[in-house]
Amino acid sequence: MPGDEEAIDGPKHSCRRTSWATPGCRPDQSGAGHDRRRTLAAFEAFCPHAAAVPAAAVTTSPSHFSPRHWKASTMGTQRVLVVDDEPKIRMTVRGYLEADGFHVIEAADGPSALRAVTRDRPDLVVLDVMLPGLDGFQVLRRIREASQIPVIMLTARDEEVDRLIGFTTGSDDYVTKPFSPRELALRVRAILRRTDSRSAADHEDGVLRFEGLTVDPETRTVLVDADRTVELSALDFDLLSAMARAPGRVFTRRGLLAQVWGDDFFGDERVVDVHIRTLRRALGDDAGAPRFVGTVRTIGYRFIGRPA
């Protein structure tokens, strides 16, 4: 079991400044082995009883079960996917989360993280930035193309550029190394509590209410400024509804295509821009000073309506 509050240290790679900020770039690997050994030594110093994490934290990985067995064994327990390529960091974070009653799934690289999201459908993802295969930002973008699952990013760098990249690709929170695993567990619980609260509120009557805008998915009606009913096509209504269910979240064009048009859509993704224009026109929303649908340059769109 986890003991008193400990700090998990970083960084684990030596990186040029541009290596994280530019998509497709890879970290500078010079001195990476030395940095990794130093990181693990610091980790063991900060987490002296990491070895005391129960053996079950290592031996009950979902890879030992079939998906059917895994789902049956975790029914009713919230699932957290922890993605980090350092086994000792995963083990300690897992120990704290399991002590709080969460079921933990592990992944050590970007591709396996994406497979775990699809296979195990976790309720939240703790995602390290520096990963082999695909980095954390690339993984987050892929997740956001099809899912609005909450994501907490972990990074060894405390630079504004990384925070901006993380939030514009849809992360829900950002934790910088060194960090306390106890604090991380509290953040996980806080985000899931907010998510559960929003879901419960939405299911009370299913209506999405914002200042100047009401969207009713059941009757498929839209009301602007409390007195004007807006007629939307079925597709434009689905587009508005998808964004309004996750206010503030950045949607890529490809992500909106997957959610609204479906995975089998074949064509130019700029069709999303055409429907955004018709949607704004119907809502009376000025693209230059929007009330409801904002543009995130070079990325996509976000719903910016304020909750009523």
Side-chain angles (χ1 to χ4, degrees), residues 265-285:
F265 173 81
F266 181 80
D268 189 346
E269 65 181 27
R270 292 285 175 176
V271 68
V272 174
D273 300 342
V274 175
H275 284 274
I276 290 290
R277 285 198 294 271
T278 61
L279 178 59
R280 282 173 167 163
R281 191 179 306 120
L283 297 176
D285 205 20

Side-chain angles (χ1 to χ4, degrees), residues 13-51:
H13 297 286
S14 172
C15 299
R16 289 189 294 264
R17 177 182 178 86
T18 57
S19 65
W20 287 15
T22 306
C25 289
R26 290 293 178 265
D28 182 0
Q29 296 298 325
S30 60
H34 173 73
D35 285 350
R36 184 177 296 272
R37 288 191 296 271
R38 184 175 59 189
T39 296
L40 289 176
F43 174 81
E44 290 168 345
F46 275 110
C47 304
H49 39 275

Side-chain angles (χ1 to χ4, degrees), residues 13 48 51 56-57 93 108-109 161 176 215 221 225 271 305:
H13 297 286
V93 171
D109 56 54
V161 63
T176 304
V215 181
T221 56
D225 293 329
V271 68

Side-chain angles (χ1 to χ4, degrees), residues 227-288:
D227 60 359
R228 181 168 70 90
T229 301
V230 177
E231 297 292 334
L232 296 177
S233 68
L235 196 147
D236 285 348
F237 181 89
D238 291 339
L239 182 62
L240 173 61
S241 180
M243 291 190 293
R245 289 183 184 278
R249 183 68 52 78
V250 176
F251 291 87
T252 64
R253 293 177 179 85
R254 189 183 301 175
L256 287 170
L257 285 173
Q259 286 198 43
V260 179
W261 278 258
D263 292 328
D264 56 351
F265 173 81
F266 181 80
D268 189 346
E269 65 181 27
R270 292 285 175 176
V271 68
V272 174
D273 300 342
V274 175
H275 284 274
I276 290 290
R277 285 198 294 271
T278 61
L279 178 59
R280 282 173 167 163
R281 191 179 306 120
L283 297 176
D285 205 20
D286 183 0

Side-chain angles (χ1 to χ4, degrees), residues 12 80-87 89-91 93-94 97 104-117 122 124-137 139-140 143 149-155 177 179 184:
K12 55 183 167 180
V80 178
L81 171 62
V82 176
V83 187
D84 196 296
D85 61 334
E86 295 291 355
I89 293 178
R90 294 199 311 270
M91 183 174 67
V93 171
R94 177 175 193 146
L97 292 174
V104 178
I105 310 153
E106 294 184 22
D109 56 54
S112 64
L114 291 174
R115 289 193 294 271
V117 168
L124 183 143
V125 179
V126 176
L127 178 63
D128 190 30
V129 169
M130 293 304 297
L131 293 171
L134 294 170
D135 67 33
F137 293 134
V139 172
L140 179 58
I143 290 174
I149 178 178
V151 175
I152 298 177
M153 301 291 288
L154 300 179
T155 179
K177 297 178 181 177
F179 66 92
L184 177 61

Side-chain angles (χ1 to χ4, degrees), residues 53-271:
V53 176
V58 180
T59 59
T60 57
S61 168
S63 62
H64 294 277
F65 300 112
S66 69
R68 181 176 181 181
H69 183 176
W70 182 86
K71 290 178 182 178
S73 65
T74 61
M75 190 172 297
T77 302
Q78 288 180 304
R79 303 178 296 276
V80 178
L81 171 62
V82 176
V83 187
D84 196 296
D85 61 334
E86 295 291 355
K88 291 187 178 180
I89 293 178
R90 294 199 311 270
M91 183 174 67
T92 296
V93 171
R94 177 175 193 146
Y96 274 81
L97 292 174
E98 289 186 338
D100 274 1
F102 296 108
H103 180 88
V104 178
I105 310 153
E106 294 184 22
D109 56 54
S112 64
L114 291 174
R115 289 193 294 271
V117 168
T118 301
R119 180 188 66 237
D120 300 318
R121 298 187 177 277
D123 299 290
L124 183 143
V125 179
V126 176
L127 178 63
D128 190 30
V129 169
M130 293 304 297
L131 293 171
L134 294 170
D135 67 33
F137 293 134
Q138 293 172 306
V139 172
L140 179 58
R141 290 189 186 100
R142 299 277 187 90
I143 290 174
R144 285 291 170 258
E145 288 171 3
S147 172
Q148 299 308 312
I149 178 178
V151 175
I152 298 177
M153 301 291 288
L154 300 179
T155 179
R157 293 160 63 90
D158 190 16
E159 297 186 8
E160 191 66 20
V161 63
D162 286 343
R163 293 179 182 273
L164 290 175
I165 292 174
F167 283 117
T168 56
T169 49
S171 67
D172 295 83
D173 201 355
Y174 217 96
V175 176
T176 304
K177 297 178 181 177
F179 66 92
S180 158
R182 175 72 269 166
E183 179 186 352
L184 177 61
L186 291 174
R187 291 192 186 208
V188 168
R189 185 166 294 283
I191 289 177
L192 288 174
R193 187 182 299 115
R194 291 199 302 269
T195 303
D196 290 344
S197 177
R198 286 197 299 264
S199 298
D202 286 347
H203 284 88
E204 284 181 3
D205 59 1
V207 179
L208 306 172
R209 296 181 175 86
F210 305 91
E211 291 181 4
L213 180 69
T214 302
V215 181
D216 189 338
E218 184 171 352
T219 62
R220 298 184 70 82
T221 56
V222 176
L223 197 64
V224 173
D225 293 329
D227 60 359
R228 181 168 70 90
T229 301
V230 177
E231 297 292 334
L232 296 177
S233 68
L235 196 147
D236 285 348
F237 181 89
D238 291 339
L239 182 62
L240 173 61
S241 180
M243 291 190 293
R245 289 183 184 278
R249 183 68 52 78
V250 176
F251 291 87
T252 64
R253 293 177 179 85
R254 189 183 301 175
L256 287 170
L257 285 173
Q259 286 198 43
V260 179
W261 278 258
D263 292 328
D264 56 351
F265 173 81
F266 181 80
D268 189 346
E269 65 181 27
R270 292 285 175 176
V271 68

